[in-house]
Amino acid sequence: MLLDVTTALAGLGLFFLGARTLGDALKRLAGRRVRVAVARSTDGPLKAAGMGLVMAAVTQSTQVATFILAGMIRAALIRAERAMMVMTGVNVGVCGLLFVATFDVRIVVYAVIGLSGIAMTRARFAPWRDQFSALFGAGLLLFGLGLLRQGTVPIAGLEIVTGTMAAISGHDILVFLAAALLILAVQSSSAVGMIGISLAGAGLFGPEQAIALAFGANFGTALNMALLTRGMAGRARQLAMFQVLVNLVGTAVTLPLLLAESAGLIAFGPIGVIAALTGDAGRSVAWAFLLFNLIGAGLSGLLLPWIAPVLARSWPVTRVEADAQPAFLEDGMLRDPAGALDLAILEQRRLVAHLAHLSAIAADPGDPAAGRVAMAQRVDGLLTLHGRIAEVLRDLGAADISAAAYERLARAVANHQRLDGVIHTFAELAGMLIDRLTDPGVMGRVSRGMLDGIDAVVMTLAEVAQSADADERMLLRAMTGDRAETMGRIRSSYLAAEEALAPADRGRLLLATNLCERLFWMLGSLVEGLEAEFEAGSEDGVALPLPEAA
């Protein structure tokens, strides 16, 4: 029993690690061409549902499909509404497993993990490392779910479980509830379905109880999904809750009809429909799963235009998603290269303005642990947007543009590289100093002084990026002058006070002042780059305040 518990625990850990690895890899792969390909394959309800059927055949699990699609949403590969439509196909597709029994995908999963893991460590496959990383993450996710099932399925075979199910076979609602609870224990609707098929084959369940078990298993899947994804937020959580809603809708329709037909209140309901399809009690389980998901997924898909806004209000877009969402970039913008360059530069200025979010967290993080988490989330969002802009700039390098436009592109690329350095250096420095802000000693004063100074510069920089105001630009140039001498004086004055500074803090101070010096140099370089763009843009009317859409 202890081995089963630890196997399930290992499976759960690998499941979440696989989901994280897959999500990170998808973010790196989220290029414009990939987004266009995904958009084309899901640009209609039937196409999206068809993609869901394919995903169901590969993953054999609504849980795995949900986590994969959540990773695609975070990577901006697919819109949340389209991912929800894909899930309608997944729900119907996984029912096929009960008709053909469970296909053993372990050979495929082991091969994917092994081959992709080897490829990730070989230099010759370096150009495709992100692709192999995505495959490795998907393999880990499936392998983890398999271990989770392996550790929990023995529970279903316990005599107390089968005996209890047989004892309550005369009470449809009790069979329904027992199946829902069993899902939470074994983490697999197909496993519970196979239990129903086995009990029906042994004559312990009739078609009516087999149907109640199938409906209960789907309801339990909704509860299980809500628990597994409670750590999600934003659009990914919207997708997860849509999957929960699919099962709740199915329950709301099928369970009352089942109970009413059992009580003789209606002449024809789920029992009658499935009896017309099969006379075998075991096959009734598979047909009941399919009927439930056709109703739940079908109605949810039809109601999606009304469901999606409700989910968006209930689980609004996170700060990371808001930061990562471009305001000026579109997939078809490269058809007009000159206009695309203007829009990319506007998006770049908008990203510069978003540096104020990092500065606000660093200046007043509240609880240090919460401040570090908030900083990491903001950095993740800004780097995602940075990647989207970089992708457009790279594509523009191969476009047919004028010599003047190419000069602007070169400045934008240089500014983008500087901006990348500013984000990473700021995050590193803030992560080092946030924990020391409440320190009443020397390091606390140094940390507060550094972050206050950076905050003043970054807030002015954000204002310049927004307004392009000439006076603010002059002030910013003065603020980002050479800070090497200032940092040197800070180091000398505090390092000389040996009695006031612990050895560990002396090392931290040395590193912090070096990082701060580097950050000011990078900010100054970025200011110079922006100034060059503003001066060139003022000649053709481009150096204007950002539009309100930003």
Side-chain angles (χ1 to χ4, degrees), residues 32-33 332-342 391-407 409:
R32 181 177 58 84
R33 293 179 180 85
M333 62 190 295
L334 290 176
R335 287 191 288 267
D336 175 17
L341 179 57
D342 285 339
E391 173 195 330
V392 173
L393 295 177
R394 282 195 303 270
D395 289 342
L396 283 171
D400 183 16
I401 57 178
S402 67
Y406 196 83
E407 286 298 321
L409 175 61

Side-chain angles (χ1 to χ4, degrees), residues 175-403:
V175 173
F176 175 89
L177 293 174
L181 293 175
L182 198 54
I183 284 289
L184 298 178
V186 304
Q187 299 288 311
S188 172
S189 59
S190 59
V192 174
M194 295 307 293
I195 293 172
I197 292 173
S198 300
L199 291 173
L204 298 175
F205 269 15
E208 184 177 326
Q209 289 73 42
I211 295 169
L213 178 137
F215 291 174
N218 281 282
F219 177 70
T221 299
L223 301 179
N224 192 48
M225 180 62 67
L227 291 173
L228 276 178
T229 61
R230 64 186 183 276
M232 289 184 178
R235 295 187 179 97
R237 181 64 167 169
Q238 292 171 27
L239 173 68
M241 295 312 295
F242 175 77
Q243 172 58 24
V244 171
L245 189 62
V246 167
N247 289 297
L248 294 182
V249 168
T251 300
V253 174
T254 59
L255 181 61
L257 290 175
L258 174 64
L259 297 178
E261 188 177 11
S262 298
L265 300 178
I266 59 175
F268 192 75
I271 300 173
V273 171
I274 293 173
L277 295 170
T278 180
D280 179 73
R283 301 288 285 182
S284 296
V285 175
W287 281 109
F289 267 91
L290 181 58
L291 176 64
F292 181 100
N293 283 283
L294 283 172
I295 293 173
L299 288 176
S300 299
L302 290 173
L303 296 173
L304 185 57
W306 296 273
I307 291 174
V310 174
L311 294 175
R313 287 194 298 269
S314 301
W315 291 276
V317 172
T318 65
R319 292 179 298 180
V320 175
E321 291 172 328
D323 285 344
Q325 187 66 35
F328 302 108
L329 305 184
E330 297 178 359
D331 287 330
M333 62 190 295
L334 290 176
R335 287 191 288 267
D336 175 17
L341 179 57
D342 285 339
L343 293 175
I345 291 173
L346 286 175
E347 196 71 66
Q348 189 179 70
R349 286 174 54 188
R350 177 172 170 266
L351 177 57
V352 172
H354 280 349
L355 290 175
H357 298 324
L358 300 185
S359 184
I361 295 171
D364 185 18
D367 176 67
R372 286 195 302 273
V373 171
M375 178 66 70
Q377 290 175 339
R378 285 293 195 184
V379 168
D380 187 35
L382 296 184
L383 290 178
T384 299
L385 180 57
H386 183 279
R388 293 287 299 274
I389 301 169
E391 173 195 330
V392 173
L393 295 177
R394 282 195 303 270
D395 289 342
L396 283 171
D400 183 16
I401 57 178
S402 67

